[in-house]
């Protein structure tokens, strides 16, 4: 099915927008064995561009392996995911997966489950523990596989910032870096949805992964690239949208990729033939309604100080929070309290800071907040 707009998941095919320059560079990095740290705010399209590049690698001597470690909560959770995906993605059929396990994980007897449907996939559990395998043995797997198969493996790990949440995380990071930095037939693309944690892992001189690879910053797609895409997707559905309204869609959500597609879909759903201002307004209302449950959940547990801090940002305050006038106007307490508020809201991914100040990271959240907390 050719969907007009896709959001809430990685996109591909006709739904993948522009990114020509970035795709070319990332593909070049993959083909030349460069380690890459992909950094950007949420909902910009990191997973989509990695999948796009993976689909464009046609050289049989290069194998791109993609895994998501979001639900890994411990070091050995990670090793099980790491090994399982490697076993599966470096094989072309079930029999070869089992051969991979027998060849490279000889001390394991995996538990395999087959679905009733003959065309469906199968799943397996390796059961790797500290008793049967040392961390270094698992981390060396891609190098061993690459050497035996005569290929180069690019290991792409989504939600890599989860490593930073593991117990004794610095020790774990040292293990990973200690093995991976010496591999000659494997390269890594590490990325995640929590920008501030990714920056902490890779740009702090005291952290093990400092200068592990090229820092690849994924910027927002420009409006001038979005407009023809939005208009063409409307046309594919037999409908029309003006350049002006397409631009308003981008401006409303500040070019955040997932939101652009979601709002564009909402406007399309409201449109009979040619999109109107009312269709746009209805689309925005639908977007806020769709996101309100998530935003309400994010607000749970916030203190009055934290809510006041967010209100200050929404009112145009981006720095100088410790000044007497701002402290009094927004009842933020002391300067030291401001530092704690800022750190907590950053951890919750509600705000972000750069050299120019502190901002609400999510443009739709900002619109919603100003309505609920005027």
């Amino acid at each position: 099915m050719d969907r007009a707009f896709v959001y809430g998941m990685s996109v591909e095919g006709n739904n993948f927008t522009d990114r020509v320059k970035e795709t070319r560079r990332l593909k070049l990095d993959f083909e030349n064995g460069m380690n890459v740290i992909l950094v950007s705010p949420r909902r910009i399209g990191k997973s989509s561009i990695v999948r796009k590049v993976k689909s464009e690698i046609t050289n049989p001597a290069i194998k791109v392996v993609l895994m998501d470690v979001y639900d890994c909560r411990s070091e050995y959770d990670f090793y099980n995911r790491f090994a399982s995906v490697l076993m599966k993605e470096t094989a072309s059929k079930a029999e070869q997966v089992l051969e991979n396990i027998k060849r490279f994980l000889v001390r394991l007897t995996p538990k395999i489950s087959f679905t009733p449907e003959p065309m469906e996939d199968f799943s397996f559990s390796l059961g790797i523990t500290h008793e049967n395998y040392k961390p270094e043995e698992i981390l060396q797997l891609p190098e061993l596989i690459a050497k035996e198969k005569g290929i180069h493996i690019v290991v792409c790990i989504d939600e890599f910032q989860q490593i930073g949440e593991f117990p004794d995380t610095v020790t774990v990071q040292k293990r990973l870096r200690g093995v991976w930095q010496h591999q000659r037939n494997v390269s890594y693309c590490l990325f995640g949805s929590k920008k501030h944690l990714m920056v902490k892992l890779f740009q702090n001189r005291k952290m093990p992964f400092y200068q592990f690879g090229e820092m690849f910053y994924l910027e927002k797609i420009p409006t001038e690239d979005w407009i023809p895409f939005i208009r063409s997707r409307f046309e594919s559905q037999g409908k029309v949208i003006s350049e002006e309204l397409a631009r308003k869609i981008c401006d409303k959500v500040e070019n955040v990729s997932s939101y652009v597609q979601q709002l564009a879909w909402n406007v399309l759903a409201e449109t009979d033939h040619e999109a109107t201002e009312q269709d746009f307004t209805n689309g925005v209302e639908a977007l806020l309604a769709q996101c309100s449950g998530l935003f309400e959940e994010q607000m749970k547990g916030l203190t009055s100080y934290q809510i006041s801090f967010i209100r200050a940002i929404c009112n145009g305050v981006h720095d100088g929070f410790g000044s007497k006038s701002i402290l009094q106007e927004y009842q933020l307490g002391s300067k030291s309290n401001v530092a704690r508020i800022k750190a907590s809201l950053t951890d919750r991914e509600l705000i972000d800071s750069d050299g120019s100040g502190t901002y609400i990271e999510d443009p739709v959240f900002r619109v919603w907040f100003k309505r609920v907390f005027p």
Side-chain angles (χ1 to χ4, degrees):
M1 178 184 296
D2 184 20
R3 299 170 61 180
F5 297 100
V6 175
Y7 57 91
M9 63 182 72
S10 60
V11 300
E12 56 188 23
N14 292 334
N15 294 107
F16 188 85
T17 316
D18 193 59
R19 297 292 192 201
V20 175
K21 179 181 177 181
E22 296 94 331
T23 300
R24 184 185 302 117
R25 177 54 188 264
L26 192 58
K27 182 181 178 184
L28 187 66
D29 287 338
F30 282 15
E31 291 174 336
N32 286 273
M34 301 292 293
N35 292 330
V36 179
I37 315 303
L38 188 55
V39 178
S40 79
R42 297 179 65 190
R43 300 186 178 92
I44 295 298
K46 294 180 291 296
S47 298
S48 296
I49 193 173
V50 171
R51 291 180 183 276
K52 172 72 170 177
V53 172
K54 179 180 179 181
S55 71
E56 292 190 357
I57 299 289
T58 57
N59 184 345
I62 301 175
K63 181 66 178 179
V64 181
V65 173
L66 177 60
M67 66 184 74
D68 188 326
V69 298
Y70 176 76
D71 58 345
C72 293
R73 294 293 177 264
S74 68
E75 182 178 5
Y76 271 85
D77 279 352
F78 173 79
Y79 296 147
N80 274 280
R81 178 66 49 77
F82 187 76
S84 296
V85 175
L86 281 167
M87 294 299 102
K88 202 167 187 177
E89 291 211 17
T90 55
S92 58
K93 51 188 178 180
E95 292 82 0
Q96 291 180 346
V97 174
L98 298 178
E99 290 174 7
N100 273 353
I101 296 173
K102 291 178 181 178
R103 172 69 182 86
F104 298 105
L105 295 167
V106 296
R107 299 197 293 276
L108 296 179
T109 303
K111 297 178 181 179
I112 302 174
S113 301
F114 292 90
T115 58
E117 293 78 10
M119 299 303 292
E120 290 295 322
D121 211 341
F122 69 98
S123 62
F124 58 91
S125 174
L126 294 176
I128 298 171
T129 69
H130 68 279
E131 296 176 347
N132 51 37
Y133 274 97
K134 295 179 180 178
E136 291 76 12
E137 293 178 285
I138 302 303
L139 296 173
Q140 191 66 6
L141 279 175
E143 179 75 359
L144 297 176
I145 295 171
K147 282 184 177 180
E148 179 155 309
K149 296 180 180 290
I151 59 175
H152 180 88
I153 295 177
V154 183
V155 179
C156 303
I157 305 180
D158 197 356
E159 304 295 354
F160 188 78
Q161 79 282 335
Q162 189 60 39
I163 302 292
E165 304 296 316
F166 291 173
D168 197 13
T169 179
V170 174
T171 299
V172 176
Q173 292 175 50
K174 287 179 179 178
R175 288 193 183 114
L176 271 57
R177 169 102 193 223
V179 175
W180 290 352
Q181 69 182 352
H182 297 297
Q183 294 175 346
R184 295 293 174 263
N185 300 284
V186 184
S187 55
Y188 293 85
C189 176
L190 309 176
F191 56 109
S193 62
K194 296 185 178 181
K195 179 184 173 183
H196 73 286
L197 293 180
M198 290 292 291
V199 169
K200 180 180 178 181
L201 287 176
F202 295 101
Q203 292 189 328
N204 187 331
R205 293 175 179 271
K206 297 180 180 180
M207 299 300 285
F209 272 101
Y210 179 68
Q211 291 190 333
F212 178 70
E214 174 191 345
M215 296 297 294
F216 191 108
Y217 292 92
L218 196 62
E219 303 292 343
K220 295 178 181 178
I221 296 173
T223 299
E224 299 309 317
D225 292 327
W226 272 121
I227 289 175
F229 171 78
I230 293 170
R231 299 189 74 189
S232 69
R233 302 312 288 162
F234 268 70
E235 290 173 7
S236 73
Q237 303 298 309
K239 300 183 181 183
V240 178
I241 186 170
S242 67
E243 179 178 327
E244 179 185 0
L245 280 181
R247 185 180 300 276
K248 287 188 70 172
I249 288 173
C250 299
D251 292 345
K252 190 66 178 180
V253 296
E254 299 178 7
N255 290 49
V256 174
S257 298
S258 180
Y259 281 147
V260 171
Q261 299 238 23
Q262 188 171 359
L263 180 53
W265 168 248
N266 287 347
V267 176
L268 177 68
E270 294 288 335
T271 301
D272 290 328
H273 174 63
E274 183 171 358
T276 65
E277 287 285 347
Q278 188 60 53
D279 295 329
F280 171 78
T281 299
N282 293 343
V284 172
E285 292 302 317
L287 176 62
L288 292 171
Q290 291 158 356
C291 296
S292 63
L294 170 62
F295 296 155
E296 289 168 2
E297 187 66 28
Q298 290 177 321
M299 292 295 294
K300 285 183 178 179
L302 291 188
T303 66
S304 59
Y305 286 128
Q306 292 168 332
I307 293 173
S308 294
F309 191 91
I310 295 173
R311 182 180 287 110
I313 297 175
C314 288
N315 288 343
V317 179
H318 301 295
D319 54 22
F321 296 97
S323 67
K324 184 177 180 180
S325 60
I326 298 299
L327 290 175
Q328 290 179 345
E329 180 178 357
Y330 292 98
Q331 299 179 345
L332 298 177
S334 63
K335 288 185 178 181
S336 60
N337 193 43
V338 166
R340 288 191 292 270
I341 294 170
K342 187 175 179 180
S344 177
L345 293 176
T346 299
D347 286 341
R348 285 174 172 259
E349 296 186 273
L350 291 175
I351 65 172
D352 193 16
S353 301
D354 56 28
S356 61
T358 300
Y359 301 86
I360 303 296
E361 188 174 68
D362 188 322
V364 180
F365 173 80
R366 183 170 62 249
V367 175
W368 175 87
F369 182 91
K370 291 177 75 172
R371 285 193 179 187
V372 178
F373 299 91

